[in-house]
Amino acid sequence: MKKYHEILLKESKDLWQAILDHPFLTLTAKTQIPDSTFRIWMQQDYIFVREAIPFMAVLLAKSPLPLRSNFIQIMVGLEKELELFRKNAQDHGVILENLQPAPICHAYIQFLMNTAYRQSFEEGFTVLYTAEKVYLDSWMQVKNNLKGQSPWQEFIDNWTSEGFRQYVDWLADTLDQLLQYKPERELVAIRDLFRTTARYEYLFWEMAVKEEKWVV
Ligand code: MP5
């Protein structure tokens, strides 16, 4: 079986390295990330995870029968993850009520929903795989370079757990199966979605570090 996920990753090596080298991750690993920066990420990622649930629901509606139960489990996992955000928000005095998505978070969510609603299941699944793979690799990068004790340890643990790694491995295998026998025309669209998703992921870290806001 052709390992499409490896081909996609190889083609975007430059972009992947830029994500892993992003100051948000290097500063978090050095425990030098300003609290204000991490809080912005937390608030925006809370919105992102919350809105990932309807994204998954649309994918579930389009999914082949054998994958339905996986999507149900994924959605339950997201609800638990929101709980992790709420607990840490309370511990660190971060407000999660009445949040507004910053421009990049807003655009990324629109992109997720648009892909899920308007494009094929395989295309939506590609976006899902890419986003989860970025989080696994990004937080592994933090974990592997961590100096001392992080105040944000629970987030590091969440996306570097054995369970999360197995989930991302499953996404990679399933993506490979879904893409077998696809015509070249569709693979072009898949490549484009993979890269666009990774680019949004880069900008998501950037948004937190630069404190990106709507201008007016
Ligand atoms: C994920 C996330 C991982 N939480 N935020 C962004 C911007 N990208 C990817 O998704 P999940 O569902 O939290 O594992």
Side-chain angles (χ1 to χ4, degrees):
M1 193 168 67
K2 211 164 175 181
K3 299 223 177 230
Y4 282 103
H5 76 279
E6 285 179 0
I7 299 171
L8 292 169
L9 287 165
K10 216 167 157 184
E11 284 174 354
S12 288
K13 247 186 181 161
D14 54 335
L15 184 43
W16 224 261
Q17 199 55 50
I19 293 171
L20 299 187
D21 291 341
H22 196 279
F24 184 93
L25 300 174
T26 45
L27 289 172
T28 302
K30 287 187 198 157
T31 59
Q32 288 171 3
I33 190 103
D35 276 359
S36 57
T37 305
F38 205 91
R39 281 167 191 225
I40 292 172
W41 169 81
M42 240 176 106
Q43 291 176 320
Q44 293 300 317
D45 214 47
Y46 181 71
I47 300 175
F48 182 88
V49 173
R50 191 185 69 198
E51 299 311 314
I53 297 175
F55 165 70
M56 297 294 179
V58 178
L59 288 186
L60 162 67
K62 291 190 172 186
S63 75
L65 194 52
L67 298 186
R68 279 193 196 164
S69 60
N70 298 91
F71 276 98
I72 294 168
Q73 278 179 36
I74 297 169
M75 285 194 275
V76 172
L78 290 176
E79 198 57 46
K80 281 201 192 117
E81 204 167 276
L82 289 177
E83 206 41 62
L84 172 84
F85 277 84
R86 288 192 279 261
K87 177 186 171 286
N88 275 272
Q90 207 162 34
D91 293 351
H92 293 276
V94 180
I95 294 163
L96 294 181
E97 284 80 36
N98 302 319
L99 298 176
Q100 294 298 319
I104 293 301
C105 181
H106 185 272
Y108 194 4
I109 292 167
Q110 298 301 312
F111 166 69
L112 288 186
M113 294 313 286
N114 186 69
T115 311
Y117 272 121
R118 299 183 47 173
Q119 296 186 235
S120 68
F121 174 73
E122 290 79 2
E123 287 167 324
F125 198 91
T126 301
V127 172
L128 169 61
Y129 165 67
T130 316
E132 301 287 30
K133 175 68 173 156
V134 167
Y135 258 45
L136 173 67
D137 290 0
S138 295
W139 291 100
M140 281 307 296
Q141 179 83 355
V142 173
K143 184 177 175 168
N144 291 336
N145 295 291
L146 188 61
K147 305 271 177 295
Q149 188 67 30
S150 171
W152 312 108
Q153 192 65 42
E154 287 188 46
F155 291 108
I156 302 170
D157 293 345
N158 184 55
W159 287 289
T160 59
S161 69
E162 194 41 41
F164 188 68
R165 175 184 292 283
Q166 282 171 8
Y167 163 53
V168 177
D169 284 348
W170 174 81
L171 288 172
D173 284 349
T174 308
L175 182 66
D176 289 347
Q177 286 170 32
L178 289 168
L179 298 186
Q180 300 297 312
Y181 317 117
K182 286 277 166 210
E184 188 52 33
R185 171 179 48 81
E186 282 183 46
L187 293 174
V188 170
I190 296 282
R191 278 201 187 93
D192 191 52
L193 285 167
F194 180 88
R195 217 171 153 80
T196 303
T197 309
R199 286 177 143 169
Y200 269 122
E201 288 290 338
Y202 178 89
L203 287 178
F204 211 88
W205 300 132
E206 194 77 354
M207 167 192 72
V209 169
K210 301 258 172 80
E211 303 194 10
E212 181 215 38
K213 291 184 183 71
W214 298 99
V215 177
V216 285

